[in-house]
Amino acid sequence: MTSPLTLGTAAMLTAAPLLWAGNAVVGRMVHELISPFTLNFLRWGLAFVLLLPFASGVLRRSSPLWAHWRRYAVLGLLGIGCYNALLYAALQTSSPINVTLVGSSMPVWMLLIGRLRYGARISLRQMLGALLSVLGVAVVLSRGELRQLLSLQLVPGDLFVLLATVLWSLYSWMLAKTQEPLTIRHDWAAFLMAQLVFGLGWSALFAGGELALGLQHLQQSLPLAAALLFIALGPAVLAYRFWNVGVSHAGPAVAGFFANLIPVFTAMLSTLVLAELPHLYHLLAFALIVGGIVVSSRR
């Protein structure tokens, strides 16, 4: 942890998962209207337009962005080009609750990447918290039955979200290792735009591949337009703002545990919007995940 966990930091690290839970639910609602990589591209294209009035200066030729373009290209690939595209792909075959619960393995990947790539120490509390989170993931994958776990067969959505979680963990660690000029890092809109200008290019490339393979589908409608507006403004612009600030204050290891609030919020929203009622094993998984947050974040 880079600094003590304050109420304000905790609020930002809670608001981002709430918005991302909405992203998972909305992504599931429109999965028959639009293919996943096209959805990701249109989402970030709209976010680019929304962000432009606040951060157009970062795109100028004199901007310090271009001296660090390689770093921003990687951040854009991981956090914008890949993560949500893989999440939307996962929602083609999995429910929002299952997708977000499988993604709750994030603390494990946060600790492993921090240790292997950056030499970060792993405390006993963090190890215990990660274990609780892994148990929560195991409970939902097994549907609460040990026999299911022993004969587990992952669906494509499970594999997509696992890959997305690993990439997001690496992205979060890269956020914590500040290398860019302070004129960009201290301006949230400029910092997101610096990633978005490259991430949008990656998203366009992946959407083009989807089209070339004949996998793209798009049914224009008002519900789809409303969904795009929500996921561009809330889960994209606002949530990334909250997450970036929270990671810079609390550190990626602690922030990773807050990301496990996503399935809690997803279950609540799924019940309200999709009428997908959680089962008893979901409640057990929630308890293990929240327990992991509490244990890992205590000083």
Side-chain angles (χ1 to χ4, degrees):
M1 185 183 295
T2 57
S3 62
L5 184 63
T6 65
L7 183 60
T9 300
M12 284 185 286
L13 290 174
T14 301
L18 176 59
L19 290 168
W20 284 328
N23 182 48
V25 173
V26 171
R28 178 64 176 178
M29 291 174 63
V30 301
H31 79 281
E32 295 183 352
L33 301 177
I34 186 171
S35 49
F37 292 95
T38 300
L39 175 59
N40 191 54
F41 171 65
L42 293 179
R43 171 206 197 194
W44 287 112
L46 183 54
F48 179 88
V49 174
L50 293 173
L51 201 60
L52 195 59
F54 305 98
S56 60
V58 78
L59 302 178
R60 294 172 182 166
R61 183 174 300 179
S62 59
S63 169
L65 159 68
W66 307 115
H68 301 266
W69 70 269
R70 290 180 179 86
R71 168 173 165 78
Y72 289 113
V74 176
L75 287 173
L77 172 64
L78 297 176
I80 293 175
C82 289
Y83 177 74
N84 279 278
L86 290 170
L87 176 66
Y88 295 142
L91 289 166
Q92 299 291 308
T93 56
S94 298
S95 70
I97 295 177
N98 276 13
V99 164
T100 52
L101 279 170
V102 172
S104 296
S105 60
M106 184 179 294
V108 178
W109 302 112
M110 285 283 199
L111 295 178
L112 286 176
I113 290 173
R115 179 61 180 172
L116 297 176
R117 178 68 177 84
Y118 298 101
R121 296 181 61 185
I122 302 176
S123 69
L124 181 60
R125 287 187 179 277
Q126 288 174 327
M127 291 179 62
L128 180 56
L131 176 60
L132 290 173
S133 292
V134 169
L135 288 175
V137 174
V139 166
V140 73
L141 287 177
S142 66
R143 308 299 189 265
E145 297 183 11
L146 182 59
R147 291 180 305 170
Q148 292 278 356
L149 189 61
L150 295 177
S151 59
L152 180 64
Q153 293 182 346
L154 298 177
V155 299
D158 297 329
L159 299 177
F160 284 140
V161 75
L162 281 173
L163 177 58
T165 302
V166 174
L167 295 179
W168 184 261
S169 300
L170 178 58
Y171 168 81
S172 295
W173 271 105
M174 289 187 65
L175 287 180
K177 302 300 177 181
T178 303
Q179 299 177 11
E180 60 275 346
L182 295 180
T183 53
I184 293 181
R185 183 64 188 224
H186 286 177
D187 184 339
W188 72 271
F191 186 53
L192 180 54
M193 178 63 82
Q195 302 171 61
L196 182 52
V197 67
F198 295 103
L200 191 58
W202 290 114
S203 300
L205 180 64
F206 297 149
E210 187 177 61
L211 176 62
L213 293 173
L215 300 175
Q216 186 187 72
H217 65 272
L218 174 62
Q219 299 180 25
Q220 300 182 26
S221 64
L222 286 177
L224 178 58
L228 282 170
L229 180 60
F230 167 74
I231 63 176
L233 180 59
V237 176
L238 294 179
Y240 271 66
R241 153 70 168 164
F242 296 146
W243 184 257
N244 288 349
V245 174
V247 168
S248 65
H249 289 173
V254 172
F257 286 91
F258 274 87
N260 282 344
L261 288 170
I262 297 176
V264 179
F265 294 138
T266 301
M268 296 168 57
L269 294 175
S270 294
T271 300
L272 294 173
V273 179
L274 302 178
E276 294 181 353
L277 296 177
H279 299 284
L280 182 60
Y281 65 83
H282 283 129
L283 300 179
L284 176 58
F286 296 159
L288 290 169
I289 289 166
V290 173
I293 295 175
V294 173
V295 170
S296 65
S297 62
R298 292 183 62 184
R299 296 300 294 271

